[in-house]
Amino acid sequence: LKINAKAGDNLRSLLMHNHAAIYGDLHRLDQPNLTGNCGGEGICGTCLVQILQGMDHLNKIGPQESSMLKGRPESWRASCKTVVGADNKEGTTLRIRLHPWVLSEAQDSSNMMRYP
């Protein structure tokens, strides 16, 4: 999946607008007995992605996202709190992995995003 993005775009919104399957029957971090998402409020943890390339072109992790990512690999981000193109460099590529906790060879392991 290739997505064109503009500096300042929210990663979750970009993925959803381009029909990327960022949600499914995923258990929430804030309410483990429930599935679904929190609508981008940054509390459920179901939109986590792994950044495979381009981490330096994203906004810095804020306190809310930091608490959600505690104990997880440094390459993970909450897509609802991630802004792409924070440095506004043309032609940058961002590669991500959806559902990084699911290790499946059948899953498309990366999605590419470019912003002009």
Side-chain angles (χ1 to χ4, degrees), residues 36-95:
N37 70 75
C38 65
E41 295 297 320
I43 57 174
C44 71
T46 58
C47 70
L48 297 179
V49 296
Q50 181 180 16
I51 307 301
L52 303 173
Q53 178 185 343
M55 182 72 86
D56 52 333
H57 302 291
L58 303 175
N59 65 314
K60 294 183 181 185
I61 296 173
Q64 184 180 13
E65 184 180 10
S66 180
S67 69
M68 193 183 335
L69 295 172
K70 190 174 183 177
R72 290 180 170 75
E74 290 182 14
S75 61
W76 288 24
R77 292 295 303 264
S79 65
C80 66
K81 297 298 174 189
T82 302
V83 177
V84 299
D87 60 1
N88 204 21
K89 284 191 178 179
E90 188 173 333
T92 300
T93 299
L94 174 68
R95 290 184 56 233

